[in-house]
Amino acid sequence: MTRSISTAILLALLAACAAQRPQVLTPVRVDTARTPGAAASSPVTPTAAAAAVAAGRPRTIDTDPLARVDRMEWPGPNGTRAASGAPGPEYWQQRADYTIVVTLDTAQQRVAGSVTIRYTNNSPDTLRFVWLQLDQNLYRPGSKGSMLFPADSRWGVRGFEGGYEIEGLQVNGRPTTMHVDDTVGRIDLDQPLVPKGGRLTITMNYAFRVPEHGSDRMGRDGTLYEIAQWYPRMAVYDDIRGWNADPYFGQGEFYLEYGDIDYTVTAPAGYTIAGSGVLQNAAEVLTATQRERLARASRSDSTVAIITDGEARATPTAGTRTWRFRAQNVRDVAWAGAPDFRWDAANANGVLAQAYYQIAKAGKAWEQAAEQTAWTIRNYSELFYKYPYPQATSVAGTVGGMEYPMFVMVHYGDPKDDPKSIFGTVNHEHGHEWFPMIVGSNERRYAWQDEGFNTYINTFALERRTPGTAPYAGYVTNWRQTVENRIDSPLMTPPDRIAARALGALGYRKPAVVLLALRDNVVGRATFDRAFREYTHRWAFKHPSPGDFFRTIENVSGMDLGWYWRAFWYSTDVLDIGIDNVTMRQQQGQNTAVIALRRNTPVPFPIRLRLLLKDNTAQDVAMPVEVWSQGDRIEAVIAVKSPVIGARLWPDGIVPDWNTTNDAWGTPVPVAASATATTGGLSGEIEGRPLP
Ligand SMILES: [Zn+2]
């Protein structure tokens, strides 16, 4: 942003602005400008978008050669999904309960055991086959994922050869076979599974070698094992698509059914196991001292060491020990084990917040991890939805950051002794407990409902934790890089088809930017907060589609936001509205400013304009998005008490206008410095109204 204003004017103005926010003016008249001989709205192709097409990246979902031709992400309303965005009166979803019994063999680096899946068909459909997810098959030679992502990339397989070995498959006690296709498998049923409550039981023995680099979602590092995607899981059967049997390539995450999961891990006797759910046999695997410390931690707002630094030593111990966990109302479970974990815990409003780490690798940063976990759980519970589970665990390891119900994997400290080096990831991964662990969207197809919503809520946490932090500008910069590097694609693009280098921008930061901008400029903070919470509550422990989100926001706000979804979700269009000119007129002693604005891309946006007047006062002009209904140029006629000497679009900064060079005219007011995206926190707090 160029700053051409003189220091004296700037200081005077800052003083004036600080004292009082400018009055908001309504234009006397807004005209759509017509270019003689041209169409009223001649489409302007943004250079970046043209370049993207030239580079072969889709510019809209219609130009994505692999896009589905239907609109499953936004189906028409029906008994299952209401027009309002809420679950309909006939909403149903399947249920999958598991009992898993495995042994961790650290000599062979294998996990082996059995799984029993009790599957309930709540759908109105008779099922003649079921699909399972076999994620470990990503490590079979020649897997689809190994062809899509380079071996040495984050999601790559690093040349590791593994995959599931499955034996003794039975359905309802009768032997059967599975048709395996890469990372999914279909079991044809001898007896059809009846609708509305029909049940079947699938059992099998299985094993897999644990990859060292499990596509940055699991793995091992010396004696540490971080175990996830570790048992055959039911694919989701839903009302939108039927079976969701999209393969696991590595980059796209998961879509899973809810249920209760009992799991048992037998590990070398010296190992401590941390995991999703609640430990069921503490008396067998923990010492009396550890149990007493845990009881104390559950009442303590400060961190209590369950295994102290002095006690966290790997001592060779013969034999094995069996840990039993139970997790209720979850879509998955994961666990980790090491012989020398330190283990800290603290109370977070009735939730046990825990941290497990090998201090030599994790660093002293991790001594703060239990507190960071507790803070995160407390804050998101206050802001969005009460954390529904009894505990929350952070484990330090080689995985960069990965989330599972009640359990997250976070990288080692870097720098090792700086707690700030892990806070962002601790906060982010536990943020996933809300999206998608509580609100169970389809991550494999829609990263923005998972990473995007999480990055959005993370912004509130980051600005709350460290006043003065303003991550918004960095998000925009990251999004801009994908446009400039011609690797962008619409947000509706499934994550496996987003360029790997663009995933951080398109899966996480662009969605956060456009949600923050929607909240600040279009819907308004109080209404958006209410709508976003409404979506969270409506779809907790359910499977929302993108359309359910769009409909909920539109219904709570009463706004038609099709233009916003079209621009930022379905295309790669960017916003570029500029000031063409400001002219002054004198009519009957009244100063009148005529402000010509131009929309340089297909994206409209409500106008917020701050005028600097010759008398050194400022005045704001606000216009709704509908002013762009008739064309791409408008002239706003505004009565002012003194001639306009400068004008600035979006003076408060939370607008992703791509081209800032045309956002100012004359001697404009400066852009608000270090604007935080979430100023004032959530409106629920401002209004003092109880959170739902
Ligand atoms: Zn994430």
Side-chain angles (χ1 to χ4, degrees), residues 289-571:
T289 308
Q290 288 168 344
R291 282 180 277 140
E292 180 276 320
R293 290 170 179 167
L294 267 177
R296 192 146 42 86
S298 71
R299 300 184 302 268
S300 168
D301 290 344
S302 56
T303 301
V304 173
I306 313 301
I307 298 179
T308 66
D309 194 30
E311 295 161 353
R313 296 283 176 270
T315 45
T317 314
T320 59
R321 202 159 48 165
T322 296
W323 301 67
R324 293 196 293 112
F325 293 87
R326 176 170 174 77
Q328 291 176 278
N329 210 9
V330 289
R331 35 177 279 166
D332 200 2
V333 287
W335 52 275
D340 51 355
F341 270 143
R342 280 180 64 175
W343 177 7
D344 295 334
N347 167 46
N349 292 359
V351 176
L352 189 69
Q354 310 184 81
Y356 296 77
Y357 51 99
Q358 295 173 298
I359 187 73
K361 287 188 277 191
K364 291 179 82 63
W366 270 82
E367 292 179 340
Q368 303 299 315
E371 182 279 327
Q372 294 179 356
T373 302
W375 187 93
T376 298
I377 297 298
R378 271 200 316 272
N379 278 272
Y380 290 133
S381 289
E382 284 171 21
L383 291 170
F384 299 101
Y385 186 94
K386 190 174 184 304
Y387 185 77
Y389 299 119
Q391 65 102 353
T393 292
S394 304
V395 170
T398 176
V399 171
M402 193 56 207
E403 67 279 9
Y404 300 95
M406 299 177 240
F407 179 91
V408 308
M409 303 170 182
V410 175
H411 57 76
Y412 304 130
D414 180 21
K416 278 189 185 328
D417 292 344
D418 182 2
K420 288 200 283 296
S421 72
I422 61 168
F423 177 76
T425 308
V426 168
N427 181 255
H428 175 86
E429 303 311 336
H430 284 290
H432 278 303
E433 297 300 334
W434 282 263
F435 305 98
M437 301 308 159
I438 296 171
V439 182
S441 63
N442 184 345
E443 303 173 79
R444 190 150 297 167
R445 297 192 81 79
Y446 310 110
W448 60 270
Q449 276 182 296
D450 158 42
E451 300 296 356
F453 284 178
N454 189 23
T455 306
Y456 169 75
I457 69 170
N458 295 163
T459 313
F460 291 85
L462 293 170
E463 294 186 357
R464 239 184 189 212
R465 175 88 173 182
T466 312
T469 303
Y472 173 86
Y475 297 166
V476 176
T477 301
N478 190 218
W479 172 13
R480 182 181 289 274
Q481 286 162 349
T482 66
V483 176
E484 289 173 354
N485 291 315
R486 304 175 187 183
I487 52 172
D488 58 334
S489 47
L491 291 192
M492 293 305 290
T493 310
D496 286 307
R497 298 211 295 275
I498 292 174
R501 279 191 300 141
L503 186 69
L506 301 179
Y508 299 62
R509 294 173 201 113
K510 175 181 172 182
V513 167
V514 296
L515 290 168
L516 289 164
L518 181 64
R519 174 181 186 261
D520 266 34
N521 305 282
V522 182
V523 173
R525 290 175 175 177
T527 302
F528 188 82
D529 294 346
R530 188 167 160 206
F532 194 80
R533 285 199 194 109
E534 184 75 28
Y535 167 77
T536 307
H537 278 252
R538 284 176 168 183
W539 291 98
F541 305 105
K542 294 189 173 72
H543 296 316
S545 70
D548 299 318
F549 175 73
F550 298 142
R551 288 178 188 278
T552 296
I553 302 296
E554 292 197 356
N555 272 261
V556 176
S557 68
M559 292 179 181
D560 179 347
L561 297 167
W563 62 276
Y564 204 84
W565 318 130
R566 192 207 67 79
F568 296 120
W569 268 259
Y570 286 88
S571 85

Side-chain angles (χ1 to χ4, degrees), residues 605-634:
F605 208 80
I607 295 300
R608 193 83 184 189
L609 192 67
R610 189 159 295 161
L611 304 177
L612 179 58
L613 307 185
K614 202 172 180 182
D615 66 3
N616 246 355
T617 61
Q619 290 183 324
D620 276 9
V621 180
M623 289 182 265
V625 68
E626 285 83 359
V627 297
W628 300 107
S629 304
Q630 307 279 327
D632 54 22
R633 287 169 57 213
I634 57 171

Side-chain angles (χ1 to χ4, degrees), residues 195-277:
K196 300 190 173 172
R199 291 177 185 211
L200 59 75
T201 302
I202 300 170
T203 54
M204 72 189 89
N205 297 319
Y206 73 97
F208 63 93
R209 284 183 62 221
V210 180
E212 194 162 10
H213 172 82
S215 304
D216 209 25
R217 304 199 185 282
M218 60 165 306
R220 56 187 161 83
D221 181 19
T223 54
L224 170 72
Y225 285 76
E226 296 182 284
I227 302 297
Q229 292 86 51
W230 62 288
Y231 57 100
R233 301 182 291 193
M234 293 305 300
V236 171
Y237 184 82
D238 65 22
D239 58 294
I240 294 179
R241 217 175 149 223
W243 286 106
N244 287 263
D246 293 320
Y248 176 48
F249 292 144
Q251 181 159 303
E253 296 191 58
F254 308 100
Y255 186 31
L256 299 160
E257 298 289 15
Y258 288 92
D260 297 341
I261 304 181
D262 289 280
Y263 66 100
T264 299
V265 177
T266 298
Y271 266 61
T272 296
I273 305 295
S276 305

